[in-house]
Amino acid sequence: MADMDNTQSPNSTSPSSSAIPSVLHHPAYLHLAASRVFTALATQAMTIAIGWIIYDLTQSAFALGFVGFCQFLPRFFLTLVVGHVADRFDRRIIVFICQVVQMLVAVWLAWALWEGWITSTIVFIAVTVLGAATAFQHPTSTALLPNVVPASILQQAVATATSLQQAAFIIGPAAGGLLYGVDPTAPFLISAILLAIACINVACIRIERRVVPREPVTLNSVFAGITFVRSRPIILGAISLDLFAVLLGGATALMPMFARDILHAGPWGLGFLRAAPAIGALVMAVLLARRPLRKNVGRRMMIACAVFGVATIAFSLSTSIVFSVACLAVLGAADTISVVVRSSLVQLMTPDEMRGRVSAVNSLFIGTSNQLGEFESGLLAGFLGPVLTGVIGGIGTLVVVALWFRIFPELARVKSLEG
């Protein structure tokens, strides 16, 4: 970690790279992308194992939802701190520390399973710690991306990173389910190794040292990210659309219930259901990396959210694992369009000295939609069942999209993502 201040400007390119602009000409980007991929592999494998453990221990939809709530709480309470830390300290060191914490949690869960003293309380504590690490890691890693590539290829960088991560999201859940079937400790031990490799890649990132503004820590500086987002209707509209669309359409959080009780599949079936959105997302991310969106990106993002809602309804009504996988693949492809457009808009419209705080606010919205959405889905499914919960959520997503066309017309009018 001591070598992290070695310099290599993200804007410096070789003659060949200037002829064909590509994120693959930036070694720092490759290390960052590799770090994200190995982290995604590990976290996805652990997610599958944790979901199956909790449902085996409790047989409760509420408990499944509470897993998401435990992940959301630290992100909610740490958001403002995270943003300020990411803007004042070396972002690579922050990401490195977060990955070490995740690795230790993976080892702890493997030990608990091996010794036979695993309980739902232990799992909830572990998930909370993982949530705290993610609360720091995700916005910091996002804010780090524009430091390793020039703005002119940021959309390509986001799309390429997304495609690589989605490949991990395909392999991770399937591997997690298979490994858990062989031995419950295996997903956690393999995840610990993958996180160690991710740490090595972060330590290898070489970029130009940022000039960190030495502004005093005040309430205004801490809340600056929120103030900035509120003053930019396009950014606010983009991240709030994702918040409410995914919050309401969170039926995928109930996958253990669908896999076991409706589709009658085991851990392997759950693994493939978890991987299905990533399959669609990977295909879409590869397409966007090769052919970036050039026009009407705001409208396309909003339409993609509507497709997400329709796919959620179809998945919830399905009784065939093949059709369920297809619905989830469409869902993942639609979500990727939203992710690429939203991430590019946030990074391009935010100055570097504010990126940590704005990324933290964005991460809070994402965490609210994902983790709190899981809690909401689990709570509602406890009363209504998973099918009706998913249908209601999908309809809610469609209603949100229709409202956002009227509330945020500026977002619908965004034409391009040119940096």
Side-chain angles (χ1 to χ4, degrees):
M1 299 303 294
D3 294 330
M4 279 189 168
D5 58 348
N6 289 5
T7 60
Q8 175 181 317
S9 172
N11 295 304
S12 61
T13 56
S14 65
S16 60
S17 68
S18 61
I20 307 175
S22 171
V23 294
L24 300 180
H25 293 133
H26 299 270
Y29 173 81
L30 294 178
H31 284 300
L32 178 60
S35 172
R36 287 182 168 188
V37 166
F38 288 116
T39 301
L41 283 169
T43 55
Q44 289 299 305
M46 285 195 290
T47 296
I48 289 296
I50 287 171
W52 201 262
I53 289 169
I54 285 295
Y55 200 53
D56 259 349
L57 290 172
T58 67
Q59 301 292 308
S60 169
F62 294 106
L64 285 175
F66 195 66
V67 170
F69 187 67
C70 289
Q71 291 175 297
F72 165 75
L73 275 182
R75 181 170 291 187
F76 177 77
F77 286 109
L78 294 173
T79 293
L80 298 179
V81 176
V82 167
H84 213 76
V85 169
D87 282 335
R88 292 178 65 89
F89 299 98
D90 192 318
R91 292 166 180 164
R92 294 162 294 178
I93 295 177
I94 298 170
V95 173
F96 181 90
I97 293 172
C98 292
Q99 290 168 339
V100 169
V101 170
Q102 291 170 311
M103 180 177 63
L104 293 176
V105 170
V107 172
W108 182 46
L109 287 173
W111 182 30
L113 282 164
W114 180 262
E115 294 293 333
W117 45 269
I118 191 77
T119 65
S120 58
T121 300
I122 288 173
V123 176
F124 290 140
I125 292 172
V127 169
T128 302
V129 175
L130 289 173
T134 302
F136 279 91
Q137 179 181 331
H138 184 271
T140 306
S141 177
T142 301
L144 180 59
L145 180 57
N147 298 139
V148 301
V149 297
S152 60
I153 58 171
L154 182 60
Q155 184 189 168
Q156 184 191 38
V158 172
T160 302
T162 301
S163 65
L164 292 172
Q165 282 188 284
Q166 294 305 332
F169 290 165
I170 295 171
I171 299 170
L178 292 172
L179 288 170
Y180 188 86
V182 174
D183 189 307
T185 63
F188 300 104
L189 293 174
I190 297 299
S191 294
I193 295 172
L194 294 173
L195 287 164
I197 297 173
C199 290
I200 294 171
N201 274 278
V202 170
C204 290
I205 294 175
R206 301 290 183 265
I207 58 174
E208 187 174 319
R209 180 184 288 274
R210 296 166 49 238
V211 178
V212 180
R214 294 299 179 184
E215 60 178 309
V217 179
T218 65
L219 282 178
N220 286 338
S221 66
V222 170
F223 283 90
I226 296 176
T227 302
F228 183 88
V229 170
R230 288 183 59 189
S231 67
R232 303 299 193 280
I234 292 175
I235 295 180
L236 178 60
I239 64 178
S240 60
L241 175 61
D242 179 84
L243 163 65
F244 289 106
V246 180
L247 175 65
L248 295 171
T252 53
L254 304 174
M255 281 185 188
M257 294 186 72
F258 279 100
R260 184 169 186 168
D261 301 334
I262 295 175
L263 301 174
H264 307 295
W268 66 269
L270 176 60
F272 284 114
L273 286 176
R274 281 281 187 184
I279 294 173
L282 174 61
V283 172
M284 181 57 67
V286 170
L287 289 174
L288 293 177
R290 292 175 61 87
R291 301 185 64 180
L293 298 175
R294 301 295 185 189
K295 58 183 180 179
N296 299 324
V297 295
R299 181 175 294 272
R300 291 186 181 187
M301 173 188 175
M302 299 174 92
I303 292 173
C305 287
V307 173
F308 180 93
V310 173
T312 298
I313 296 172
F315 166 75
S316 302
L317 295 173
S318 172
T319 56
S320 163
I321 192 167
V322 174
F323 184 68
S324 295
V325 168
C327 293
L328 291 172
V330 172
L331 180 149
D335 187 51
T336 295
I337 296 175
S338 175
V339 167
V340 170
V341 173
R342 183 188 70 248
S343 298
S344 299
L345 283 175
V346 170
Q347 297 305 320
L348 289 172
M349 297 181 67
T350 306
D352 184 65
E353 66 272 12
M354 285 290 298
R355 282 194 179 118
R357 281 164 286 185
V358 173
S359 293
V361 175
N362 185 32
S363 181
L364 174 61
F365 276 61
I366 294 171
T368 301
S369 62
N370 291 334
Q371 280 81 52
L372 195 57
E374 291 181 11
F375 177 68
E376 174 266 335
S377 295
L379 189 65
L380 197 58
F383 294 105
L384 303 179
V387 174
L388 187 55
T389 297
V391 171
I392 292 174
I395 293 172
T397 297
L398 296 176
V399 172
V400 166
V401 173
L403 288 174
W404 257 237
F405 266 104
R406 295 183 61 86
I407 298 173
F408 296 98
E410 302 92 343
L411 177 59
R413 289 196 294 264
V414 173
K415 298 298 182 183
S416 69
L417 295 174
E418 297 299 326

